[in-house]
Amino acid sequence: MPELPEVETARRRAENALAGKRIQRAAAAADGLIFDRAPPSEVEHALTGRTVVGSGRKGKYFWLLLDQPPHPVFHFGMSGRLHLYRNGTPPPKYWKLEIEASDGTIVVFTDMRRLGRIRLAADPENEPPVSLLGFDPLISLPSAAEIQRLLAVRRGPIKAVLLDQSFSAGVGNWVADEVLYQAGLSPLRPANQLSRPEVRRLRTALKNIAEQSVALDADATRFPIHWLFNYRWDRRIGRGPRGEPLVRQRIGGRTTAWAPSRQK
């Protein structure tokens, strides 16, 4: 599932391709799952003729800002992707929305599993579901003291709390595992029992993972060799970056990879 780094990278690509340009054509697929609030025809009408003036993102949601509302809001779900190409190229398989700018640039949203969403909002950041999200580690990371205050009322395992979008928006399974590995914290620890030094380590890891992965355009082939990400998927090896044994178990409803010898 695309998480904060992948969605932020997609937002930047979309803004770079479309900002300052007029949308001369918008085509929406007849898919009532993807367009679950405004029908495809309404989305097409709302976008056609408008000029893209910028974009925004919080957590796993991003949106294009037009010269007048409503604005299109995107959520990738499990398999949503963004594609860029020029006029004359047929749309890719599983396309859901095709936006063509006046200069022939085309941005397409695809979703093979149809778990993503495309909606319209007058004020995306201040309307549900975006307004219900917690802090975003890249753009609104609280102080360690504030994070500890937020954790004080959370009794569940810290892994499950990190996955809760009302706590930390944009953090998904691989980011949560990476943060806890880098912070040296067991995913099973009750969130409200972390000490102040442990919360500071957690905050540092959240900041570093978010910033570094985005700086690398969410390109996993460029992630640092000491990241758990490079080892968490391969069950045959079963060892982490430092050679420590890895354990895989379900925590917070998601498969978790962690190193008990390192994470306490």
Side-chain angles (χ1 to χ4, degrees):
M1 174 186 289
E3 302 180 24
L4 184 158
E6 292 87 358
V7 179
E8 172 63 12
T9 299
R11 181 200 68 78
R12 294 181 180 189
R13 293 182 66 209
E15 181 174 287
N16 289 338
L18 297 174
K21 301 175 184 177
R22 179 180 176 274
I23 298 173
Q24 68 178 12
R25 182 179 62 86
D31 192 325
L33 287 178
I34 297 293
F35 300 96
D36 65 334
R37 294 186 180 176
S41 59
E42 184 176 340
V43 173
E44 291 177 347
H45 178 74
L47 271 60
T48 303
R50 302 270 62 86
T51 297
V52 178
V53 298
S55 65
R57 182 196 58 79
K58 188 171 185 182
K60 300 178 186 180
Y61 292 85
F62 86 94
W63 52 92
L64 295 176
L65 291 171
L66 308 181
D67 55 351
Q68 71 177 49
H71 313 283
V73 180
F74 304 86
H75 189 277
F76 284 140
M78 291 290 292
S79 60
R81 295 292 185 274
L82 209 66
H83 306 262
L84 275 67
Y85 53 90
R86 299 290 298 177
N87 191 1
T89 304
K93 196 175 182 180
Y94 308 116
W95 75 273
K96 302 302 176 183
L97 180 64
E98 188 178 37
I99 300 172
E100 182 177 353
S102 53
D103 68 345
T105 299
I106 298 178
V107 173
V108 175
F109 178 96
T110 65
D111 189 356
M112 178 179 67
R113 299 182 65 177
R114 303 173 68 210
L115 296 173
R117 297 293 181 265
I118 301 174
R119 296 162 174 167
L120 297 175
D123 185 4
E125 194 165 8
N126 295 305
E127 295 178 21
V130 178
S131 62
L132 303 177
L133 298 174
F135 65 82
D136 185 295
L138 190 65
I139 60 179
S140 58
L141 183 62
S143 66
E146 176 62 13
I147 292 177
Q148 188 156 41
R149 186 189 70 79
L150 295 172
L151 291 175
V153 296
R154 303 274 188 156
R155 297 181 179 180
I158 185 60
K159 168 66 183 284
V161 172
L162 288 175
L163 292 178
D164 185 343
Q165 298 302 290
S166 69
F167 177 77
S168 50
V171 175
N173 203 32
W174 82 257
V175 171
D177 282 359
E178 192 66 53
V179 165
L180 293 172
Y181 178 80
Q182 298 295 340
L185 297 172
S186 165
L188 297 169
R189 291 279 301 278
N192 62 355
Q193 293 183 14
L194 297 185
S195 67
R196 178 60 64 84
E198 289 173 331
V199 172
R200 283 198 292 265
R201 298 204 313 262
L202 181 73
R203 183 187 187 278
T204 297
L206 275 167
K207 182 175 187 295
N208 290 343
I209 299 306
E211 291 180 349
Q212 290 183 55
S213 56
V214 168
L216 295 172
D217 296 326
D219 182 353
T221 65
R222 299 166 61 196
F223 285 175
I225 191 64
H226 64 275
W227 279 20
L228 178 67
F229 184 96
N230 300 301
Y231 302 83
R232 70 187 304 276
W233 314 101
D234 195 339
R235 295 177 178 273
R236 296 169 301 174
I237 298 175
R239 292 192 174 273
R242 297 165 177 81
E244 67 274 72
L246 295 181
V247 170
R248 291 175 176 82
Q249 64 187 103
R250 290 190 71 80
I251 303 173
R254 302 296 302 277
T255 299
T256 300
W258 65 292
S261 62
R262 171 182 170 82
Q263 299 172 244
K264 305 297 183 180

